[in-house]
Amino acid sequence: MAQQVLLDRPRVLEPEHWLPRAREHGERAALFTEPYLQRRSAGLKHPVEDFLFTYYSLKPGQLLRWHPGAGVVLTGAEARERLGWKFYRELAAAECRSAGLEHDGGAVTFDAESFLAARGTAVAFSREILAGAAARPARFGCFGLHEWAMAYKSQLNGVRHDYLELRLGAEGTDHVVEGSRINCSHFDAFRFYTPQAVPLNTLRPTRENQRQLEQPGCLHANMDLYKWAYKLAPALPSELVMDCFELSWRIRELDMRASPYDLSGWGYEPVRIETTEGRAQYVAAQRAFAAEAQVLRGRLLEALDLLDGGRT
């Protein structure tokens, strides 16, 4: 077995400092998880608020769990419970001495070595996607038409959200698609296009060229900051994961308000991207979200730097 690389100059959190943070995180996440779990139990759907729990793979219980991130030591009896959690370990005696702690088994930290050994490929891919998008210019000419392309020729294909009505009807939706230039750069939106809509897209996103096409104006790329954040947990502080979650939550609202679906029954006013005014409204919101997302993208990259630094 390889020798454990010792943690260098850790930040030590006593129970009175980290337990309130854990509780605050749980309360913050519960504002979103509890309504979803209640709806799921009742067999109800929500076109906006369910998305982050049904499309993304992180379970509500996992979102509720607080992590301090890399380079942090937790002390106290409650910290020892984390020794049963994946990617946590007890501090070695030398690390305790360096941190000014007694080596009594009460100090626990994130295990960067085992995490990077298990998920090094995912970490490298995340860094490449995040850094590439951060460095590219943002494009704002898509107008959310990916959702319309997913509903194109619905009389033949049906619609993804079969419990929702199309605001302009099937023919009206098709007319908007056929009269627009569709510029989707995001593979995980493009892959849900109807067969007839695929050749209408100016780009051909694939999983292979995702590294080259991801750009910071894309709503879905910015929603996916939440995906990269939770895939890197518990290496990241949960506060950062929740910041990404909440941005993704708000972007999802715009995504569906600009979609061809009628969400008036849920209290959402449409962003009518079939009009000049609606497209201007969409782009203004898209620009604001892109600016927020670039800040979070930078924080994610900084956390990745800390993670790599904690191994050396």
Side-chain angles (χ1 to χ4, degrees), residues 77-226:
E78 297 89 346
R80 286 194 57 78
E81 298 174 7
R82 294 173 181 247
L83 293 176
W85 295 12
K86 197 170 185 179
F87 302 123
Y88 276 86
R89 66 175 177 84
E90 183 179 348
L91 257 67
E95 292 175 304
C96 287
R97 289 194 296 272
S98 176
L101 297 170
E102 296 291 333
H103 187 231
D104 58 0
V108 175
T109 191
F110 164 70
D111 190 345
E113 282 295 300
S114 63
F115 181 85
L116 288 168
R119 299 190 182 171
T121 300
V123 169
F125 182 72
S126 300
R127 182 191 295 279
E128 190 171 2
I129 291 290
L130 292 166
R136 294 186 189 102
R139 300 198 299 272
F140 301 105
C142 70
F143 306 119
L145 283 160
H146 55 277
E147 288 287 346
W148 296 72
M150 296 176 200
Y152 185 54
K153 299 296 183 184
S154 62
Q155 291 175 320
L156 296 174
N157 303 297
V159 292
R160 291 191 67 217
H161 305 289
D162 56 6
Y163 63 101
L164 299 176
E165 297 292 331
L166 293 172
R167 184 166 53 82
L168 302 181
E171 291 184 3
T173 300
D174 292 350
H175 180 72
V176 172
V177 172
E178 291 162 0
S180 302
R181 190 168 186 266
I182 308 178
N183 300 301
C184 182
S185 60
H186 193 70
F187 172 68
D188 284 316
F190 179 71
R191 67 190 176 99
F192 292 110
Y193 277 28
T194 65
Q196 297 87 349
V198 168
L200 303 179
N201 205 65
T202 60
L203 300 169
R204 290 293 177 272
T206 65
R207 187 65 71 202
E208 290 69 31
N209 67 19
Q210 183 179 6
R211 295 171 175 84
Q212 291 76 45
L213 291 183
E214 202 94 335
Q215 53 91 14
C218 172
L219 288 191
H220 275 263
N222 293 332
M223 275 197 286
D224 276 355
L225 293 182
Y226 168 58

Side-chain angles (χ1 to χ4, degrees), residues 30-83:
L31 294 175
F32 302 94
T33 60
E34 288 182 2
Y36 166 70
L37 293 172
Q38 290 168 3
R39 284 193 303 273
R40 189 177 71 176
S41 179
L44 301 175
K45 295 181 179 181
H46 195 292
V48 174
E49 296 182 2
D50 289 352
F51 181 76
L52 269 66
F53 300 108
T54 56
Y55 177 77
Y56 294 111
S57 62
L58 193 72
K59 295 178 174 62
Q62 293 171 309
L63 184 65
L64 289 165
R65 183 174 280 190
W66 178 79
H67 303 287
V72 178
V73 172
L74 304 179
T75 65
E78 297 89 346
R80 286 194 57 78
E81 298 174 7
R82 294 173 181 247
L83 293 176

